[in-house]
Amino acid sequence: MFKRMTRQEKERRAVQAELNAAMQALRANEVAFEEAQDPFYIEQLTYQHAALMCRCRALLRTLRGGGADP
């Protein structure tokens, strides 16, 4: 028989999917940073990296149950 997912399980899976997407974006950012030559582009990538790291930490906190919604 099929088990019905609770609302909490659905939310957890959605947060996990969002975390996976953020981690992929972080990896892509790191690859772009390694290949970057232009100082302005490097600065943009640095700020983007910081924002992605903050997002990942917030999502991890949510998954661990130690914080409010991000």
Side-chain angles (χ1 to χ4, degrees), residues 15-26:
V15 171
Q16 183 66 46
E18 191 175 346
L19 177 61
N20 290 340
M23 291 299 295
Q24 284 181 335
L26 192 59

Side-chain angles (χ1 to χ4, degrees), residues 15 52-63 67-70:
V15 171
L52 287 167
M53 288 296 292
C54 288
R55 186 68 185 145
C56 288
R57 280 192 296 269
L59 292 167
L60 284 169
R61 206 175 311 120
T62 300
L63 284 173
D69 288 338

Side-chain angles (χ1 to χ4, degrees), residues 3-64:
K3 178 186 169 198
R4 294 193 81 184
M5 272 199 295
T6 65
R7 185 175 66 92
Q8 187 177 23
E9 289 171 332
K10 287 180 183 178
E11 289 173 357
R12 183 172 175 78
R13 286 186 184 194
V15 171
Q16 183 66 46
E18 191 175 346
L19 177 61
N20 290 340
M23 291 299 295
Q24 284 181 335
L26 192 59
R27 284 187 213 104
N29 174 280
E30 290 171 353
V31 168
F33 183 82
E34 290 175 7
E35 297 172 355
Q37 300 287 324
D38 179 29
F40 180 72
Y41 185 55
I42 290 171
E43 185 177 2
Q44 285 182 316
L45 290 170
T46 301
Y47 286 117
Q48 183 183 35
H49 185 270
L52 287 167
M53 288 296 292
C54 288
R55 186 68 185 145
C56 288
R57 280 192 296 269
L59 292 167
L60 284 169
R61 206 175 311 120
T62 300
L63 284 173
R64 291 180 182 145

